[in-house]
Amino acid sequence: MYLDEVSVTSLLSSRTGAIPSEITDTMSTSSRSEVTRGLEADIKILKPSMGSVLENTRTQDRQVLRKATIQATFRDLYKNERERLTICPVPESVDLPSRSQLYALMDSPERIPDSPWIISSERLARGNLIEVEVELQADPIFRVSAFFSSFLDMITDSEELAGQVDQAQASKVREFNGILERLRVGLIPIRCRLVDYQTFATTRGEYLIHRRLVEALPEDRRPALTPAFLVGVTEQDLYWKDTRRILFSDAEVRILCRLNKLGIQSTWNSVKLADMVGSLLPEFSEMMNSFGSDALHAMMTNTGGSGTHDSNAETLVTFASLIATDAGISLSDEERAEVQRLAMENSHLLEGELPEIRAAFTSISDYVLTQHGAELDAERVSSLRTRARSQAGLRQGLAIQGTSSAPAPDTEQGRFLDSEVIAIYW
């Protein structure tokens, strides 16, 4: 479905040297026959003589040109590298370790460096090749951009749909989506859940753990698991099929890729130009990093039509939810009701000066964190405050009068393997 010719040829040539790009076969055939004719005369005597010469030469050249296709080159690369892959699919026929070995793996995974069942961050070195089975899906920011483009085209062509949409808001969304598409510069970010691996943390670091090993462990010996995702940017022109048929289906496929960073990452920015801008404006980079998930969440929980105070209260409720998620807190129904009360009580402060705005957010964060004895640093709280306002603003801006949004795809957090995608296939 996807094949990066530059990566394939450069990798193979770095291993084996020059790669023949084409082979030429030449075949020639030739035949000849000769017949002569003549007449001789002597002055004295007429002497008839007859002969004939007939010459026919036929030469046929046939040239057959066979180009080595990129598929054949990829086959050669895969054959050379499959025994050296840092991660590769484990066949179902491979037996699990014994129960005692399983416990040893869980207790001291760093002592068994070559196990396919538990993989440490140190083994995931930059430049290593891995092959993993994933649920193929585009990153939320691309899904949002694709939705915006399709939906805005539909309302342009349909008077009935156009009447259901705030045209001023639609114009702003169209303008922002144009900026978003320029920032992507023709690249499609993907965020694919690993089928066979999840992550767990120990005092010695984070590890990937195979699903079959988890299933073999007793419930009381299973670690707390976090979803693992393969992430990277792909070139739109290198897909062999329509991306709408591929990147929105959650199809299980295999991906061969090269790791861009050492180990398991906790964050990833899908808009690479945002990293460049972020060196000057860190807030912009962070906003773009969370925009896709925030927009999907906004569409999923769209409650358009709220007044100003209701909108401000919703911002504070959203902030409480972000605080709880980030601190690993599960709010009870009573606590949610209290958050709602505090939000309505302090919503008017969001229309005041900066100290009043901070006081409104602080009342929420203090309540959520003190109820569970949790702590978050001031920089993280500030970041969540920005995200809460962004989500609430998106929710208002994406409001469609008289309609409700369809459920958005899953946008859960996880751990990431940042990679350069070489091939996607099944």
Side-chain angles (χ1 to χ4, degrees):
M1 293 187 290
Y2 179 93
L3 198 55
D4 186 343
E5 183 174 355
V6 173
S7 294
V8 170
T9 53
S10 63
L11 278 170
L12 187 59
S13 61
S14 69
R15 305 289 198 199
T16 63
I19 304 173
S21 60
E22 61 184 38
I23 301 171
T24 302
D25 291 339
T26 302
M27 184 180 298
S28 298
T29 60
S30 178
S31 63
R32 178 180 179 183
S33 61
E34 181 175 325
V35 179
T36 61
R37 292 179 181 175
L39 178 64
E40 288 186 10
D42 189 281
I43 298 178
K44 299 178 181 179
I45 303 172
L46 184 61
K47 183 179 180 181
S49 172
M50 178 174 263
S52 66
V53 176
L54 178 62
E55 183 174 340
N56 180 24
T57 302
R58 181 168 60 93
T59 302
Q60 181 180 10
D61 291 331
R62 184 178 65 185
Q63 187 179 66
V64 179
L65 180 63
R66 294 191 291 116
K67 287 190 176 181
T69 63
I70 183 59
Q71 296 99 317
T73 307
F74 174 71
R75 179 197 62 188
D76 294 338
L77 173 68
Y78 186 79
K79 286 171 61 178
N80 289 339
E81 298 296 328
R82 63 184 174 185
E83 300 300 327
R84 295 186 285 187
L85 296 173
T86 302
I87 304 177
C88 61
V90 181
E92 293 292 333
S93 59
V94 175
D95 293 332
L96 280 165
S98 65
R99 180 63 62 89
S100 59
Q101 290 174 324
L102 286 180
Y103 291 160
L105 276 172
M106 296 304 300
D107 293 338
S108 302
E110 74 282 355
R111 296 183 182 178
I112 310 176
D114 297 326
S115 169
W117 307 109
I118 295 182
I119 301 171
S120 67
S121 290
E122 288 73 18
R123 283 178 60 189
L124 302 173
R126 183 174 184 268
N128 283 6
L129 291 176
I130 64 172
E131 181 188 22
V132 289
E133 293 188 358
V134 302
E135 294 175 358
L136 182 60
Q137 194 173 74
D139 187 81
I141 201 166
F142 177 77
R143 284 181 276 161
V144 168
S145 180
F147 168 79
F148 284 164
S149 297
S150 300
F151 185 77
L152 291 172
D153 288 343
M154 286 191 293
I155 65 173
T156 300
D157 298 335
S158 171
E159 293 183 2
E160 183 176 351
L161 278 177
Q164 299 294 320
V165 177
D166 185 328
Q167 293 300 313
Q169 294 290 354
S171 177
K172 293 179 181 178
V173 170
R174 189 187 302 276
E175 181 179 354
F176 181 80
N177 194 47
I179 297 173
L180 193 60
E181 290 179 341
R182 289 183 179 89
L183 285 172
R184 288 197 298 105
V185 291
L187 300 176
I188 298 179
I190 61 172
R191 184 177 185 269
C192 309
R193 182 198 295 269
L194 299 188
V195 172
D196 289 330
Y197 289 95
Q198 292 178 280
T199 65
F200 73 99
T202 71
T203 56
R204 296 172 295 274
E206 289 190 305
Y207 295 82
L208 291 174
I209 184 170
H210 199 279
R211 60 172 176 80
R212 288 177 57 195
L213 190 148
V214 174
E215 293 166 359
L217 289 170
E219 290 284 349
D220 59 342
R221 293 297 301 265
R222 295 181 183 180
L225 300 175
T226 303
F229 296 88
L230 181 76
V231 293
V233 291
T234 59
E235 295 186 39
Q236 188 164 353
D237 294 340
L238 297 182
Y239 283 92
W240 291 8
K241 293 183 179 180
D242 189 333
T243 55
R244 291 170 295 185
R245 294 171 53 195
I246 299 173
L247 297 176
F248 296 86
S249 63
D250 291 336
E252 290 193 7
V253 299
R254 290 190 179 188
I255 294 183
L256 182 72
C257 56
R258 181 165 51 180
L259 295 175
N260 280 332
K261 293 183 179 180
L262 169 66
I264 301 168
Q265 308 299 313
S266 58
T267 60
W268 180 68
N269 194 345
S270 57
V271 182
K272 294 307 175 184
L273 277 185
D275 289 336
M276 178 188 69
V277 179
S279 61
L280 300 175
L281 300 172
E283 297 84 0
F284 177 80
S285 179
E286 184 172 351
M287 182 191 74
M288 294 307 302
N289 189 32
S290 62
F291 172 78
S293 298
D294 290 348
L296 286 177
H297 179 77
M299 288 188 288
M300 183 170 57
T301 59
N302 194 336
T303 55
S306 301
T308 301
H309 287 291
D310 288 342
S311 175
N312 290 341
E314 186 179 357
T315 299
L316 295 175
V317 170
T318 301
F319 176 63
S321 178
L322 292 174
I323 286 283
T325 300
D326 201 78
I329 296 171
S330 179
L331 295 175
S332 66
D333 292 340
E334 293 78 9
E335 289 169 338
R336 292 181 185 278
E338 179 62 17
V339 165
Q340 188 71 39
R341 187 193 68 78
L342 288 172
M344 293 299 296
E345 185 179 286
N346 293 280
S347 61
H348 67 283
L349 296 177
L350 296 187
E351 301 174 32
E353 300 296 328
L354 183 59
E356 295 176 313
I357 294 173
R358 286 179 175 171
F361 282 105
T362 299
S363 68
I364 299 294
S365 60
D366 285 351
Y367 172 75
V368 172
L369 294 174
T370 54
Q371 284 294 108
H372 295 266
E375 292 184 1
L376 288 178
D377 61 75
E379 184 178 351
R380 186 58 185 162
V381 171
S382 175
S383 171
L384 295 176
R385 188 165 59 234
T386 301
R387 285 194 62 185
R389 304 194 76 162
S390 172
Q391 283 192 13
L394 282 166
R395 195 173 294 121
Q396 292 295 315
L398 295 172
I400 301 175
Q401 301 169 12
T403 66
S404 60
S405 298
D410 179 31
T411 59
E412 66 180 306
Q413 297 300 311
R415 294 293 184 265
F416 308 103
L417 301 182
D418 193 338
S419 64
E420 174 192 339
V421 178
I422 298 171
I424 303 174
Y425 48 91
W426 69 89

